[in-house]
Amino acid sequence: MVLVMLWKEIIDNLRDRQTVFYALLFGPVLLPLCIGGALVAGLKQATVSFDEPSELAVQHAERAPNLVQFLRANNMDVVNAPADVEDSVRRGDVPIVLSIPEDFSTALREGQPAPLVIHVNDGDKQSSKEARKVSSLLRVYAQTLNALRMQHRGIDPSVFNSIDVTLQDVSSNGFRGQLLASLLPFLLIVAMVMGGFYLAIDTTAGERERQSLEPLLTLPLARYKLVLGKFLAVLVFVTLSSVLTAVSVFLVFRFFSPEMAGGELSFDAHTIFQAWLLASPLVFFISAVLMTVAASTRSSKEAQTYLGLLMVFPMAPFFILQFINIKSVGITMALPMLSQYQLLERVVLQDVINPAHIALSVVGTLVGAGLLLWGAIRLYSRESVL
Amino acid sequence: MIKATELSKSFNGVAGQKKRRVVAVESVSFEAADGRITGLLGPNGAGKSTTLRMLATLIKPDSGSATIDGYSVQNDVLAVRHQLGFMPHNAGIYPRLTTRENIRYYARLCGMDKRTTETRVDELVSLLAMEGFADRRTAGFSQGQKTKVALARALVHRPQTILLDEPTNGLDVMATRGLRDIIRALAKEGHCIVFSSHIMQEVAALCDEIAIISDGNISMTGSLNTLLQNTGQSSLEDAFVSAIGGEL
């Protein structure tokens, strides 16, 4: 009978465009694409890659053949700059232009500082990124020249390097990494909530509003079976939504940034599967929350209001963990959602996870789900459910 | 067979107002026999729906008792539900399911196996003349079509006792006549039928027994003739007004 109910709710709600849109499209596809895609693409844009060959427009390349040769050796395809240098950079026809003034080679020969001009549009991310890349290449070139000049005069170039600072980041993640790592639990949890949102409302408050609950309750059927049937239906949608999200997060990273799937942050299939597994007790918890809250309201509208407010909760850990450094002590590991956030972050950052923390997280989450479900059964056993 | 003895039920007043118990049913006693159509006649707010809901085990009476085919509505809830087909005053069917799916869902929930379910659904579709809309989703159905689907659903597990809460509400003349024929046929098969309504002609045309309910109390019971005789009136409407203590 529970299965009959489950099957009916699934068929019924698959015919509801709103439910299908939010459960199978919004949470699992649109959200990872919009948030994840944008974030990854943004980070990628800010990252300078010296291995990728890129085109560099140079004005009067003939005035500095050695420099051009150096640039070519460093993956820059030197091309001739357009005639109206400033306008074409402003318009974005070329990201930047390196122009070589007439007195460049003279100054170089005389041992004077040789002038170079980079035309950049600082309002354009692509342009400033290119400028940063070229200036650092030029710095390397300048250092080589400096060394040659000093050796020519019989001075050891290292005399001028009085301090050698090395910055060693031990956190392996940093702010950017943290942000990216918390993206996975965020997307998974939001997708779970969105996945069950409309179904939970439809099977509880919606059923009451359509007045189909009254005849249903006169059937020879124990109330706990009725609640279980509805719960399982929500569970199926929540689970489906989370699986689809895991798949699309994997694809987003594959598509936008294959190099990120390998490094210190890991978004490969194994990691995402592991993360999903750690998050999976939440499908019970979130289904139970959605169901119990929706069941305690009088109408679909009221249910939407309460569940809408409740949507803040899955987002809260995301922001809290961004700004506050919570030590992973036992108590936070027993809290549903907060514990999954922390565990999933560590999986993505490839940190070591304490098995006791996993156990606490699973038990805490399942106990929470059980209590909520028991509350829903109590609600349905009361007369006021009608 | 229904036996109700001094049923009473009160509810909490509307939230926001001062807490006040609202008495919906004060003391309702009546009997409904198998093979007969018993009409529960009363004005809006008299306690008809509350009485039927207590009989349908949806709410528990504060005091008094009732049995359906010998099972107590307070203590043998599941047994009562097996005996009972209840149709609330709003059809309450699922708009995204077809007629057949709506009926099938209830059949399966009542524990019928697949094959029995299909046979029973076919039977009900032809009994209630629903062939024309059996495979359409019920969203946008006319009130008459919705009522038929809801009735089929209430009958799916062959209940002995059938409770119909204002089934003719919103039906046109032809649909009402059709429904009357169905109800009569069910009574002839030996079912106990309780039918609530506030429409005199409906009750007069259909019911073997009439229980007049007002302000949560049964003020008079009997056949149409008995009621007319007892009140000395010539029409059910006049008898009704006189029975509830109004002025003619």
Side-chain angles (χ1 to χ4, degrees), chain A residues 338-359:
Chain A
L338 198 59
S339 69
Q340 277 82 9
Y341 260 99
Q342 299 177 67
L343 289 177
L344 262 63
E345 262 185 34
R346 280 194 217 163
V347 170
V348 173
L349 295 170
Q350 300 192 304
D351 282 347
V352 185
I353 300 174
N354 183 347
H357 285 173
I358 298 178

Side-chain angles (χ1 to χ4, degrees), chain A residues 1-2 4-5 8-9 11-13 15-16 19 202 207 210-223 230 382-383 386, chain B residues 9 11 53 56-60 78 81-82 86 88 90-98 101 105-106 108-111 137 153 157:
Chain A
M1 275 179 240
V2 172
V4 170
M5 190 161 262
K8 177 258 163 191
E9 294 296 357
I11 296 290
D12 194 354
N13 279 281
R15 290 178 185 170
D16 182 27
T19 309
D202 190 78
E207 175 129 71
R210 277 196 302 271
Q211 288 166 316
S212 53
L213 183 62
E214 205 172 308
L216 187 68
L217 293 180
T218 63
L219 294 181
L221 185 72
R223 295 283 160 94
K230 290 173 179 296
R382 283 167 39 188
E383 282 176 7
L386 286 176
Chain B
K9 181 75 187 174
F11 297 105
R53 281 172 155 202
T57 71
L58 285 169
I59 52 180
K60 277 200 186 320
L78 284 185
R81 289 180 191 160
H82 271 291
F86 175 59
N90 288 296
I93 52 178
Y94 299 103
R96 292 188 297 261
L97 298 186
T98 66
E101 285 167 338
Y105 179 45
Y106 270 41
R108 303 280 288 139
L109 283 182
C110 288
R137 291 191 196 171
R153 223 171 46 171
H157 57 302

Side-chain angles (χ1 to χ4, degrees), chain B residues 100 103-108 111-123 156:
Chain B
R100 276 180 198 280
I103 307 170
R104 197 179 288 143
Y105 179 45
Y106 270 41
R108 303 280 288 139
M112 291 163 79
D113 63 40
K114 270 191 180 166
R115 195 191 280 169
T116 325
T117 298
E118 289 314 310
T119 326
R120 184 66 183 146
V121 172
D122 286 340
E123 258 174 44
V156 76

Side-chain angles (χ1 to χ4, degrees), chain B residues 12-13 39 44 51 76 85 89 100 116-117 132 146 173:
Chain B
N12 281 327
N44 292 329
T51 304
D76 303 320
H89 59 88
R100 276 180 198 280
T116 325
T117 298
K146 282 184 189 166
V173 179

